[in-house]
Amino acid sequence: MASEDISQLADSLAKTQVGGGELSFKGRALKLDTAEAATEIIEEIEKFDNLQALCLEGNTIGVEAAKAIAKSLANKKELQKCLWSDMFTGRLRTEIPTALISLGNAVMSAGAQLTQLDLSDNAFGPDGVRSIETLLKSNACYTLQELRLNNCGMGIGGGQILAEALCECRRQSSAFGKPMALKVFIAGRNRLENEGAIALAGAFKSIGTLEEVHMTQNGINHQGITELAKAFTENQNLRVINLNDNTFTEEGAIAMAETLKTLQNIEVLNFGDCLVRSRGAIAIAEAVKHGLKKLKELNLSFGEIRKNAAITVAEAMEDKSLLEKLDLNGNCLGEEGCDQLREVMDSFKKQDLLTSLSDDESDGDGDEDDEDEEEEDDDDDDDDDDEEEDEEEEEEEEEEEAREEEREQVTVSPVALQIIESSMITIGITPEPEAATFLAFPSPDKLLKLGPKRSHLLLQQTDLSNAEKVVQTFLKVSAVYKEDQETKIAVLETADELLQKAFKTPGFQLDLFITTLLVYMGLLKSEEKIKVISNLIGPLTVLKQVIQQNYFPRSIIPILSAFLNKQNRAFDSCQNAKCNLLETMANL
């Protein structure tokens, strides 16, 4: 099929009225700045009878276009699903609230009763949450069942605003005789931290009808986890709890385990990368063993769990007839511990349900030298050791939080900085180069502050003969990509200069470069634990630019294309960027 035919087919499918009354413009990459530019969408909406779902994902909508689209929704009373994720790419944060207010007002004035609101992957921050506050409190959301706000940059303030709006909606809808019965709540990657999580826990308590909660990668530690656990006890229909990549520690894990004893409908628990540690894992295992008959998946990967605790978790799976997956990868079991774990699962004829243990992090035999494994006459000593360990961990957490606050709050004027640096040089201390600071803590501002010589400065900090170092620098630069012209140009020019010089370096290992790039992007599994980049929008966008340059080796494009065409969760939040890159590759 010719590429023109494929393009026409894609356009046709994008506008097809999907079953259930859905009108979709998903992935069209339309840039709608004005009302005129939105004419096609407006006409389709106006002529669509019984419009129940409108999908605008993967486009970019400006203020004037949003106002025009809002007018076309004014009489769409049947609208139930607003699928509006990833529709403000490249827009200023000041534009987004105005656009959202226009669309929200249209939904309310139409008298629509929403069941699903999806605004994921729109970086609108606390102001964006404030712009949908009125909508969330209105009777349009009394019927809301699914709220998806993944990767919106809400922060603590946005989480608190959201929590208050949900509480108010529940209160008003109950007074109206139709209590809001929210079932699915998704708010991963929003830096909610403890304060935001605690506020939302209060909302969850009042709602009481949740079935799925996804709050991954939010910087929540045991205080916030404990409050969420308490709130979950009020939601007896919970089936899925996904808190991946937060910091439970033992205290949070034990609190969650107590809650699990009260929940009987749980099917999926994802506490991976949550630092539950051995005592936390044992507490969770006990809760699972004596309940959770419907459990299908348990993820306790990368939690610093040692051998005996992991075996206790496995033993708790014996009577879980619906179990589909147990993930204990990335813990501290040792080779012997991994073998014993497999033997336990095999004794239940469930070894196939145990995921790979290839990322086990133990250098030794995985013995639990810091756990309570002694005889009963040694329990008192163990309790003392546990208390000391808890105190040490709490102190470490408090110190780390203090260091983070200092990094966020301490600012130094340029004049003072010059004085400090001059003093350091005088006494023989060389201050860290600004380029090194950027590589340690990448941000758009730090890249711009390097000035017009940023490429040269970063090249000085990068060993161009080392493919892995080149990949690391490339990803750190591309990760700070933004659509504002100044940052965009700085990122693209720097990435261009870096790769051009690297590929021309004698002896540069091209095969190692592409392999390492795929690993760090999370597209290829590594034998070692690698901290993969969390958001691929920047790297994919920058790759689209660099692969078109003459210096870029055409030989590695088919390899990159093959991995981009594979299904991978890493692409969940960046489908548009991936498709654009694949299209560019196909046209080379």
Side-chain angles (χ1 to χ4, degrees), residues 463-468 470 501-513:
D463 181 359
L464 295 180
S465 65
N466 186 321
E468 184 172 11
V470 171
K501 291 287 177 63
F503 293 153
K504 290 181 179 179
T505 299
F508 187 79
Q509 295 178 284
L510 198 57
D511 56 343
L512 182 58
F513 169 81

Side-chain angles (χ1 to χ4, degrees), residues 188-367:
R189 296 177 62 192
N190 273 292
R191 292 304 306 174
L192 295 169
E193 302 185 20
N194 282 337
E195 294 91 334
I198 290 170
L200 286 166
F204 296 164
K205 285 180 182 178
S206 69
I207 292 170
T209 56
L210 290 169
E211 296 180 10
E212 295 186 27
V213 174
H214 303 259
M215 295 175 67
T216 62
Q217 201 175 0
N218 268 300
I220 309 169
N221 64 28
H222 67 84
Q223 294 96 331
I225 296 298
T226 298
E227 291 305 310
L228 287 172
K230 292 176 182 177
F232 291 160
T233 62
E234 304 297 325
N235 291 267
Q236 288 294 305
N237 292 326
L238 270 171
R239 295 181 298 102
V240 178
I241 302 176
N242 182 1
L243 296 174
N244 188 284
D245 200 6
N246 290 288
T247 308
F248 282 45
T249 66
E250 290 95 330
E251 187 171 348
I254 291 170
M256 188 62 68
E258 288 301 308
T259 287
L260 293 178
K261 293 176 182 178
T262 71
L263 302 176
Q264 298 306 316
N265 291 305
I266 292 292
E267 297 176 7
V268 177
L269 292 174
N270 188 341
F271 301 150
D273 209 7
C274 284
L275 207 65
V276 299
R277 297 198 175 110
S278 295
R279 290 177 58 225
I282 290 171
I284 291 172
E286 288 300 311
V288 170
K289 182 176 182 178
H290 299 294
L292 307 191
K293 299 297 184 183
K294 299 180 181 180
L295 186 67
K296 295 179 180 179
E297 295 184 19
L298 175 60
N299 184 344
L300 293 176
S301 60
F302 298 99
E304 292 190 2
I305 302 169
R306 301 181 75 84
K307 179 182 70 176
N308 288 0
I311 291 173
T312 300
V313 172
E315 290 172 345
M317 302 298 113
E318 182 175 8
D319 65 346
K320 306 306 168 194
S321 60
L322 300 178
L323 188 70
E324 297 174 0
K325 183 170 76 172
L326 172 63
D327 191 347
L328 287 166
N329 193 25
N331 285 296
C332 310
L333 314 183
E335 185 176 349
E336 180 184 343
C338 289
D339 290 340
Q340 290 180 8
L341 191 63
R342 295 186 187 99
E343 289 173 4
V344 170
M345 293 297 287
D346 190 42
S347 69
F348 308 146
K349 300 188 184 302
K350 294 179 180 179
Q351 184 175 348
D352 292 344
L353 308 183
L354 180 66
T355 63
S356 167
L357 300 173
S358 60
D359 292 325
D360 185 69
E361 296 188 337
S362 178
D363 293 327
D365 60 6
D367 285 341

Side-chain angles (χ1 to χ4, degrees), residues 317-571:
M317 302 298 113
E318 182 175 8
D319 65 346
K320 306 306 168 194
S321 60
L322 300 178
L323 188 70
E324 297 174 0
K325 183 170 76 172
L326 172 63
D327 191 347
L328 287 166
N329 193 25
N331 285 296
C332 310
L333 314 183
E335 185 176 349
E336 180 184 343
C338 289
D339 290 340
Q340 290 180 8
L341 191 63
R342 295 186 187 99
E343 289 173 4
V344 170
M345 293 297 287
D346 190 42
S347 69
F348 308 146
K349 300 188 184 302
K350 294 179 180 179
Q351 184 175 348
D352 292 344
L353 308 183
L354 180 66
T355 63
S356 167
L357 300 173
S358 60
D359 292 325
D360 185 69
E361 296 188 337
S362 178
D363 293 327
D365 60 6
D367 285 341
E368 308 220 8
D369 54 4
D370 58 347
E371 294 300 323
D372 182 11
E373 295 183 350
E374 303 298 327
E375 300 296 329
E376 289 186 4
D377 56 355
D378 291 330
D379 281 350
D380 290 339
D381 291 337
D382 287 335
D383 289 342
D384 291 339
D385 291 340
D386 289 340
E387 288 177 7
E388 289 177 7
E389 184 180 332
D390 288 343
E391 289 174 2
E392 289 175 3
E393 286 168 1
E394 288 179 7
E395 287 175 4
E396 288 175 4
E397 287 177 13
E398 289 172 1
E399 288 173 4
E400 179 58 28
E401 288 174 5
R403 284 194 292 271
E404 288 182 5
E405 289 178 3
E406 287 176 3
R407 284 195 291 266
E408 292 174 358
Q409 295 174 4
V410 175
T411 59
V412 182
S413 70
V415 174
L417 187 59
Q418 288 178 5
I419 295 172
I420 292 169
E421 290 183 351
S422 297
S423 301
M424 291 171 68
I425 293 169
T426 301
I427 63 175
I429 301 174
T430 303
E432 185 176 23
E434 290 184 2
T437 302
F438 167 79
L439 292 173
F441 305 101
S443 73
D445 287 341
K446 289 191 182 77
L447 183 66
L448 294 176
K449 285 178 181 177
L450 292 177
K453 293 185 178 180
R454 63 181 64 88
S455 298
H456 176 70
L457 294 172
L458 288 172
L459 286 171
Q460 287 182 326
Q461 297 290 322
T462 306
D463 181 359
L464 295 180
S465 65
N466 186 321
E468 184 172 11
K469 297 295 184 185
V470 171
V471 167
Q472 290 173 344
T473 300
F474 171 75
L475 290 176
K476 286 174 181 178
V477 170
S478 59
V480 303
Y481 178 90
K482 289 169 61 179
E483 284 292 338
D484 71 272
Q485 198 66 9
E486 188 178 13
T487 305
K488 180 178 180 180
I489 292 173
V491 169
L492 295 178
E493 287 182 349
T494 304
D496 259 336
E497 186 74 12
L498 171 69
L499 294 187
Q500 187 171 4
K501 291 287 177 63
F503 293 153
K504 290 181 179 179
T505 299
F508 187 79
Q509 295 178 284
L510 198 57
D511 56 343
L512 182 58
F513 169 81
I514 186 62
T515 301
T516 307
L517 180 65
L518 292 169
V519 167
Y520 276 92
M521 291 175 69
L523 308 183
L524 179 64
K525 192 172 184 61
S526 170
E527 294 180 359
E528 302 176 0
K529 186 185 177 184
I530 299 292
K531 187 67 175 178
V532 300
I533 191 165
S534 59
N535 190 332
L536 292 180
I537 292 177
L540 293 175
T541 305
V542 175
L543 279 170
K544 177 188 172 185
Q545 164 78 12
V546 299
I547 65 168
Q548 299 178 64
Q549 308 309 312
N550 291 331
Y551 67 77
F552 197 90
R554 294 295 184 263
S555 60
I556 64 176
I557 290 180
I559 300 173
L560 183 57
S561 177
F563 280 88
L564 288 172
N565 277 301
K566 288 185 176 181
Q567 287 189 344
N568 195 308
R569 290 184 178 179
F571 298 133

